[in-house]
Amino acid sequence: MSTLLLKHAAVLTLNAENTILESSSIAIQDEKIIAIGEPPREFVADEIIDAQHHVALPGFFNAHTHAAMTLLRGSAEDLPLDRWFNEGIWRTESALQEEDVYWGVALAACEMLRSGTVAFADHYFYMHNVARVVQESGMKALLAWCVFGSDFAKEMGPTTLELTSDFVAEFQNSAGGRIKTMLGPHSPYISTERSLRDAANVARKLNVGCHIHVSESQAQVDNSYKQFGKSPVAYLNELGIFDNPSIAAHAIYVNEDDIEILRAKKVSVAACPKTHLKLAMQTTRIVDLLNAGVHVALGTDGAASNNNLDMLEVMRLAALLQKHDSGDATVLPSMEALRLATQHGARAMGFNNSGVLQVDADADLILLDMDKPHLVPRHNLAANIVHSARASDVNYVIVNGKVLLRQGELTTLDEEKIMREAEARGLRMARSAQGQTQMYKG
Ligand SMILES: [Zn+2]
């Protein structure tokens, strides 16, 4: 048994009543919060953290990323979506080696922990190497092995639906429950109808969902009507992709019928506003989706289109963009934006006992140092976090009761070594990248 006591923290619980406590203790035993307010009388702590001037809140859940793409950070700049894929990403990824994924994800884990992210929904290749980082770092993750399933695309490595379903069978609920899995068909615009139908069948058999890209551009939607006579969301739904709770990344161009499908099938939409801004796309209609009863979470997307993995920034951009685009400053208030970045992400990823600070919840929380000029005075704690806080204010990260960032120091990852390896591998990929692909025609 291990025990941990946080003392003198402000606590932003994100419970149903939005309770905020002042100068409180949080008692943690093994993986769970066992008391908030006063610790139990007989409680003996292995470690005590004096959290004066800090606020404790649920950690961030990044609901859509490609963590290893940290290796491609800054490698495909100032390009629209089609050229970003064809001339940038797929060209550089042609040089991807299996072991690169481990180091790219390790780099991502350092960055995510430093900015308060406790869990990430990853969609990439060689996912057993992502699982290794999750095991070693102490983070939580929902892992989906991407399959292009296309007539003209070469798969990344020896990827088949059989191999990715073996991955699900091996890793589902592994690392003490910190790893969950989905299938990862790439998208309706790359994957063939047959490969999507196969993925849906296997997902049903394994009782997992699918993590998939959906409706990122008007051209994708137009092509879908031309080819299949229906929208991408309706098409995927008919193929059975949404039969288990799934994650639809982006879902920007959706009509009212699509929204009803997403709601009825309990699909979680992962909005990635920074990618949308950077690639000059429209953005996910978060407020409309929420008002219609669709579950919405937030993601950074990969560092090749973001160019970081900072959920504080994503949360802020989500709130700002919704206000700006709707012409209504009252939409997506700070407490709601915080919920999207934490609790909603936890549910999207199947960590249903996380994303809230209350007794019996998983101890997945962060401490922000609020004793900073840009966070004073405190008229509105949630607004200070959403609109003023910085990643560098994150001082502690705790996942399943284990301290992974202590006073700004990573406890499980060798950051210096990881940065050196990732730098060398990213540069090698760029040097040896070859050719172009016209795989993306959306
Ligand atoms: Zn993506």
Side-chain angles (χ1 to χ4, degrees):
M1 186 177 80
S2 68
T3 52
L4 174 64
L5 182 64
L6 317 183
K7 291 170 79 166
H8 312 301
V11 183
L12 195 149
T13 60
L14 289 182
N15 65 9
E17 296 78 34
N18 280 333
T19 306
I20 295 176
L21 301 167
E22 295 300 331
S23 194
S24 293
S25 293
I26 301 178
I28 296 165
Q29 184 175 309
D30 295 327
E31 292 154 12
K32 304 273 180 218
I33 296 171
I34 61 162
I36 298 184
E38 283 301 309
R41 203 188 297 269
E42 69 283 7
F43 189 76
V44 181
D46 299 333
E47 179 178 357
I48 296 175
I49 294 171
D50 184 355
Q52 194 136 34
H53 306 304
H54 287 70
V55 57
L57 68 150
F60 299 118
F61 282 73
N62 184 349
H64 177 69
T65 191
H66 315 280
M69 290 180 89
T70 49
L71 298 178
L72 279 68
R73 194 194 322 263
S75 72
E77 291 298 295
D78 309 313
L79 295 172
L81 183 63
D82 53 345
R83 295 182 59 201
W84 179 85
F85 268 134
N86 291 329
E87 297 169 31
I89 299 314
W90 283 329
R91 193 173 160 271
T92 315
E93 278 180 344
S94 69
L96 183 76
Q97 297 171 1
E98 194 170 337
E99 191 67 7
D100 294 335
V101 171
Y102 173 84
W103 292 101
V105 176
L107 183 67
C110 294
E111 185 185 349
M112 288 193 278
L113 286 171
R114 286 196 168 282
S115 48
T117 293
V118 295
F120 60 107
D122 205 44
H123 188 274
Y124 209 59
F125 315 102
Y126 304 114
M127 294 303 287
H128 50 286
N129 282 335
V130 185
R132 263 168 72 204
V133 177
V134 177
Q135 285 157 350
E136 291 167 14
S137 66
M139 295 182 77
K140 293 184 172 178
L142 171 72
L143 305 181
W145 196 315
C146 176
V147 181
F148 287 130
S150 152
D151 287 336
F152 47 91
K154 188 172 153 311
E155 296 293 348
M156 207 63 79
T159 299
T160 61
L161 188 59
E162 289 68 43
L163 277 179
T164 66
S165 52
D166 287 350
F167 174 79
V168 166
E170 183 178 350
F171 285 95
Q172 178 73 316
N173 290 318
S174 65
R178 287 188 289 109
I179 294 178
K180 297 188 183 295
T181 59
M182 281 186 179
L183 291 186
H186 184 276
S187 61
Y189 54 87
I190 297 288
S191 311
T192 60
E193 184 171 342
R194 184 178 162 181
S195 76
L196 289 168
R197 202 184 295 281
D198 289 349
N201 287 337
V202 172
R204 262 194 306 274
K205 208 159 64 195
L206 295 168
N207 198 25
V208 296
C210 293
H211 184 169
I212 188 165
H213 296 93
V214 184
S215 298
E216 298 153 300
S217 73
Q218 186 61 49
Q220 287 174 16
V221 176
D222 293 346
N223 287 343
S224 178
Y225 275 102
K226 235 182 279 169
Q227 257 187 293
F228 311 113
K230 48 183 86 85
S231 73
V233 170
Y235 169 64
L236 291 176
N237 187 45
E238 274 189 27
L239 294 176
I241 288 288
F242 299 143
D243 285 1
N244 282 324
S246 293
I247 294 181
H250 307 293
I252 299 170
Y253 294 85
V254 290
N255 62 32
E256 298 315 304
D257 293 341
D258 295 337
I259 290 174
E260 176 50 25
I261 290 170
L262 295 170
R263 184 199 66 76
K265 287 299 183 83
K266 296 186 167 55
V267 176
S268 293
V269 169
C272 306
K274 179 123 176 252
T275 289
H276 303 163
L277 283 165
K278 189 147 185 285
L279 300 191
M281 300 151 80
Q282 301 286 316
T283 196
T284 311
R285 292 154 52 201
I286 294 174
V287 173
D288 291 343
L289 291 170
L290 288 171
N291 287 342
V294 177
H295 190 72
V296 181
L298 301 178
T300 57
D301 215 342
S305 63
N306 182 305
N307 294 4
N308 63 43
L309 303 174
D310 181 350
M311 285 293 288
L312 272 165
E313 185 177 61
V314 162
M315 176 169 64
R316 181 171 309 148
L317 288 174
L320 294 175
L321 263 173
Q322 294 302 301
K323 291 174 192 299
H324 181 268
D325 288 0
S326 66
D328 181 354
T330 67
V331 301
L332 212 54
S334 294
M335 201 61 97
E336 207 175 322
L338 271 170
R339 255 180 221 286
L340 299 190
T342 56
Q343 208 164 82
H344 281 216
R347 203 183 105 194
M349 294 165 62
F351 294 104
N352 297 327
N353 199 33
S354 194
V356 61
L357 301 191
Q358 64 189 20
V359 172
D360 288 334
D362 289 357
D364 300 331
L365 61 135
I366 61 177
L367 292 175
L368 294 187
D369 182 356
M370 302 302 276
D371 199 22
K372 302 273 184 80
H374 60 278
L375 299 173
V376 173
R378 190 201 293 177
H379 295 299
N380 181 324
L381 182 59
N384 277 12
I385 296 168
V386 173
H387 291 290
S388 307
R390 300 167 187 164
S392 54
D393 302 328
V394 177
N395 218 4
Y396 288 84
V397 173
I398 297 163
V399 178
N400 261 4
K402 197 163 170 226
V403 182
L404 306 186
L405 186 77
R406 180 184 284 114
Q407 288 189 311
E409 296 292 327
L410 294 166
T411 63
T412 53
L413 296 165
D414 184 346
E415 192 173 38
E416 281 301 318
K417 184 176 174 197
I418 289 166
M419 286 196 293
R420 279 197 307 274
E421 271 286 340
E423 170 91 12
R425 285 169 182 272
L427 296 179
R428 189 213 78 238
M429 281 175 69
R431 267 199 316 272
S432 48
Q434 280 174 0
Q436 280 190 23
T437 162
Q438 292 304 315
M439 191 159 83
Y440 181 81
K441 301 192 195 314

